[in-house]
Amino acid sequence: MEAHSHRSHSVSQHSTQQHPIFNSKYEIIRSLGEGNTSKVYLGRSIADPSQTVAIKILKEEFLRRDNDSIVSVHNEITILKNLEHPGIIRMLDFGDAGQVVKPSTRVIPNLVYIVMESVQGGLLFDMCQLMGAMGEDAGRFFAHQMLDSLEFMHSRRVVH
């Protein structure tokens, strides 16, 4: 698998490092969740601390399971690369040489990863939160955004 963006430079270690550092670009703040195939972490850009990202790290046991597992990762990356739309979370980076440097300076190399935009809540969450206070116009606005995004995905032969 080839990385989508430039390779990172080495991390300069400071004794005050409190969080793991991913690819010398992102500070890993906390876990967002875990499934059968991967773990997802909230990260913050070192260059621009106001930018947050979701870092999906594929589990080694999933990748070792069979060849279909690696094919499914390639398919996910191919799909995400072709879905640039304002209503769909963007993939920012991917690769198979990810590296985490822990505060203890222990390095975890050769990680297969996907870095995506981080979105708090999301459209469905927002709709549910606002349902009581949301009028018909706001409901129409959110429904239009969701249907527009689905229509775009379907035009690219992707079903979610």
Side-chain angles (χ1 to χ4, degrees):
M1 182 181 321
E2 189 176 306
H4 182 262
S5 67
H6 303 290
R7 292 278 183 216
S8 59
H9 302 288
S10 63
V11 173
S12 60
Q13 290 299 318
H14 296 67
S15 60
T16 59
Q17 179 184 335
Q18 294 181 354
H19 298 284
I21 303 295
F22 182 75
N23 281 2
S24 303
K25 295 179 184 178
Y26 304 104
E27 180 181 24
I28 296 177
I29 305 304
R30 63 181 167 87
S31 173
L32 292 174
E34 179 175 353
N36 291 329
T37 63
S38 61
K39 292 182 181 181
V40 180
Y41 300 90
L42 177 65
R44 178 174 38 226
S45 170
I46 292 171
D48 177 7
S50 68
Q51 180 194 24
T52 59
V53 296
I55 302 167
K56 179 178 184 175
I57 298 179
L58 283 292
K59 292 181 179 177
E60 192 174 325
E61 58 269 19
F62 166 71
L63 296 169
R64 281 189 304 209
R65 206 176 326 178
D66 55 35
N67 201 38
D68 289 344
S69 300
I70 293 173
V71 169
S72 73
V73 173
H74 281 282
N75 288 343
E76 180 179 0
I77 289 168
T78 300
I79 289 168
L80 289 170
K81 283 192 324 190
N82 292 312
L83 288 180
E84 292 207 20
H85 182 275
I88 299 172
I89 294 171
R90 287 183 311 129
M91 179 178 64
L92 304 173
D93 191 7
F94 67 89
D96 60 1
Q99 171 179 287
V100 171
V101 178
K102 300 254 185 174
S104 67
T105 70
R106 186 170 79 98
V107 176
I108 304 170
N110 303 320
L111 300 169
V112 177
Y113 66 93
I114 300 172
V115 178
M116 298 166 279
E117 289 179 297
S118 173
V119 176
Q120 300 298 317
L123 179 59
L124 187 56
F125 177 82
D126 292 341
M127 285 183 71
C128 291
Q129 291 288 92
L130 297 172
M131 209 51 103
M134 180 172 30
E136 189 175 327
D137 289 341
R140 236 189 324 272
F141 172 78
F142 282 117
H144 181 267
Q145 278 188 318
M146 185 170 55
L147 292 172
D148 185 53
S149 299
L150 283 171
E151 180 181 39
F152 177 79
M153 288 170 49
H154 292 169
S155 75
R156 300 295 191 275
R157 302 182 57 98
V158 174
V159 178
H160 188 282

